[in-house]
Amino acid sequence: MPVTVVIGSQWGDEGKGKIVDLLSREIDVVARYQGGANAGHTIMWGDKTFVLHLVPSGIFHDGVKCVIGNGVVIDPGALLDEIGMIKRLGYDVDDRLFISHNAHLIMPYHKKVEEARERARDAGAIGTTGRGIGPAYVDKFARTGIRVVDLLDRDVLRKKLKVAIEEKNAILKGVYGADQLNVDAITEEYVEFDKLIDPFVTDTSQYLGQLLKGGAHVLAEGAQGSLLDVDFGTYPFVTSSHPTVGGCCTGLGIPPTEIKRVIGIVKAYSTRVGNGPFPTELDGETGEELRSKGGEFGATTGRPRRCGWLDLVALRYTSMINGFTDLAITKLDVLTGTPQIKACTSYDVAGKRTERFPSEVQTLEKVEPIYESFEGWGEDITGVTSFDDLPDCARTYLSAVSDYLDVPISTISTGPKRNQTILNAAPATVG
Ligand code: IMP
């Protein structure tokens, strides 16, 4: 059986958690391939809401195994809190949760360095989630990171931490005038974490390889969104990993030839948290309305999300990078009652019209979006479960999106709950 990859097509917060949760019914393993506790996947059952930051949402499906791959940066404190919450909800994690021995750890100094750096950047700040993600990936690529496997040997751990902390202390004090960190206290703290996470640690690429050989169906879950990719996103206003499809191979050790389906998760409008260009952003009343109707506040930081119209130019670009085989449209119900809906179909760049997405920030900041308008619908679509039962105007909007991107829509979310979903929408929506 193949690998299916679920990828955010915009700036994150597209509603991947719900789609992964739905797909978990038919798969054997959910594997997370990048990012860290900067992500927040919100799941709603009945009147209950849960937020997962690290553990894939497949954990709430009996029999589904969950993997946190080598490409993820793990904050042990956040992970242990989450495991505790999952257990309290009555779900098993033993023999179901597997953590890569090669994953890098978020250390207290990563958060400190990030905080100091963001403060120093002032108006040029990235607007990060403050979870230490960027500095942890910096250490990974500088080859000074601490990996899960390093927890096994207290002496090795102490030695590595000593080198890392001395360097960080020099930076914190010399560059940012910030407080110093203590090697012994941090070593002790992480040795304690090791005792608790040790049962979950394994060589996850070998584990996944064996499962795939045995015919398992793996769902690879990306965090954040393609426009936050460190290479393909709006650099430097990006996260420090690869939410795009390549991240699945390097973050899990899965060969590209195993990937048979790449689902692009597309929110029916656009949002962005943090700083950086956002051509279709709506500053006025309509943006405010989308924010309040869509509950557009960060699941990790609680920050209000910036809201705007759908940007098809950007989506065609992320579809090209990822090779989406089908789309899952989320939060369509939030557009109900909006009299006129717009989607950006080209940009005006210094008087010239283009359909090319310029990921370089200098150009993107100056583009003027050119819109196509769609008549809105007033009927409540919450809970509609068939494409044919959607109002004509909603179908026209969705068909235009599918046509522009030349990708079929397989799934449409019409409300936050599991059963508020249109499945197998594809035949009716391909233009
Ligand atoms: P970092 O990932 O914390 O370094 O933040 C870098 C940028 O990515 C900031 O603009 C964050 O707001 C954004 N970001 C990180 N994680 C998410 C997410 O899960 N959803 C949306 N934006 C995110």
Side-chain angles (χ1 to χ4, degrees), residues 135-412:
Y137 279 113
V138 167
D139 280 359
K140 172 174 176 169
F141 289 98
R143 292 154 296 175
T144 52
I146 313 283
R147 304 199 293 181
V148 169
V149 68
D150 296 323
L151 296 174
L152 288 178
D153 186 323
R154 181 190 284 246
D155 291 335
V156 172
L157 177 66
R158 199 177 183 289
K159 226 157 122 189
K160 287 193 172 187
L161 273 174
K162 191 168 177 297
V163 174
I165 290 174
E166 277 171 5
E167 185 202 35
K168 295 299 180 301
N169 274 341
I171 296 171
L172 284 168
K173 192 174 170 201
V175 182
Y176 301 114
D179 295 343
Q180 302 287 280
L181 293 147
N182 180 286
V183 178
D184 291 330
I186 296 175
T187 308
E188 282 316 307
E189 194 185 338
Y190 277 69
V191 165
E192 284 310 305
F193 282 141
D194 176 49
K195 292 179 191 153
L196 298 166
I197 65 170
D198 190 58
F200 306 108
V201 177
T202 191
D203 180 338
T204 50
S205 57
Q206 293 280 353
Y207 175 69
L208 286 170
Q210 273 162 17
L211 286 177
L212 282 169
K213 215 168 166 191
H217 187 173
V218 175
L219 184 69
E221 180 187 25
Q224 289 86 44
S226 303
L227 295 168
L228 289 175
D229 186 284
V230 68
D231 274 293
F232 300 108
T234 53
Y235 191 91
F237 300 101
V238 290
T239 193
S240 301
S241 62
H242 293 289
T244 50
V245 69
C248 162
C249 300
T250 54
L252 291 171
I254 282 179
T257 43
E258 292 281 0
I259 300 172
K260 297 292 183 284
R261 186 178 177 195
V262 184
I263 308 175
I265 313 296
V266 179
K267 183 146 53 180
Y269 48 96
S270 304
T271 60
R272 173 164 202 166
V273 216
N275 303 331
F278 181 179
T280 61
E281 182 168 16
L282 290 162
D283 288 323
E285 210 176 296
T286 313
E288 191 54 55
E289 228 173 86
L290 286 174
R291 185 175 308 117
S292 65
K293 275 167 74 179
E296 296 295 354
F297 297 88
T300 301
T301 59
R303 289 181 289 179
R305 295 178 184 144
R306 300 156 66 191
C307 296
W309 297 123
L310 197 64
D311 187 340
L312 291 169
V313 177
L315 281 172
R316 196 186 263 167
Y317 165 74
T318 60
S319 182
M320 175 192 79
I321 301 284
N322 291 301
F324 293 143
T325 54
D326 54 304
L327 306 173
I329 308 286
T330 58
K331 293 192 141 180
L332 185 65
D333 52 302
V334 173
L335 291 179
T336 300
T338 305
Q340 192 189 45
I341 296 164
K342 293 185 184 180
C344 169
T345 49
S346 59
Y347 293 151
D348 182 310
V349 186
K352 283 200 180 134
R353 204 175 169 129
T354 179
E355 289 183 6
R356 176 188 166 266
F357 180 77
S359 63
E360 67 277 5
V361 161
Q362 300 88 318
T363 313
L364 195 60
E365 267 167 352
K366 293 192 202 116
V367 306
E368 281 297 325
I370 298 169
Y371 290 108
E372 190 172 323
S373 295
F374 298 86
E375 204 183 316
W377 59 92
E379 302 94 316
D380 181 11
I381 61 162
T382 315
V384 169
T385 53
S386 140
F387 183 79
D388 293 337
D389 292 340
L390 286 173
D392 285 350
C393 294
R395 294 180 353 165
T396 303
Y397 179 60
L398 293 174
S399 296
V401 172
S402 179
D403 285 349
Y404 188 97
L405 302 178
D406 199 20
V407 183
I409 296 170
S410 57
T411 311
I412 302 160

Side-chain angles (χ1 to χ4, degrees), residues 70-127:
N70 56 280
V72 176
V73 283
I74 298 176
D75 182 335
L79 179 63
L80 290 174
D81 285 350
E82 220 160 279
I83 291 173
M85 177 190 85
I86 294 163
K87 282 182 171 168
R88 280 194 300 282
L89 288 167
Y91 291 85
D92 238 357
V93 278
D94 300 335
D95 290 324
R96 293 192 55 222
L97 177 63
F98 300 88
I99 298 169
S100 169
H101 67 316
N102 282 342
H104 281 245
L105 292 167
I106 301 263
M107 308 303 291
Y109 46 79
H110 292 138
K111 293 181 193 168
K112 288 241 179 216
V113 169
E114 177 170 35
E115 189 194 320
R117 192 176 283 157
E118 282 281 88
R119 212 179 324 113
R121 274 186 174 140
D122 198 16
I126 309 290

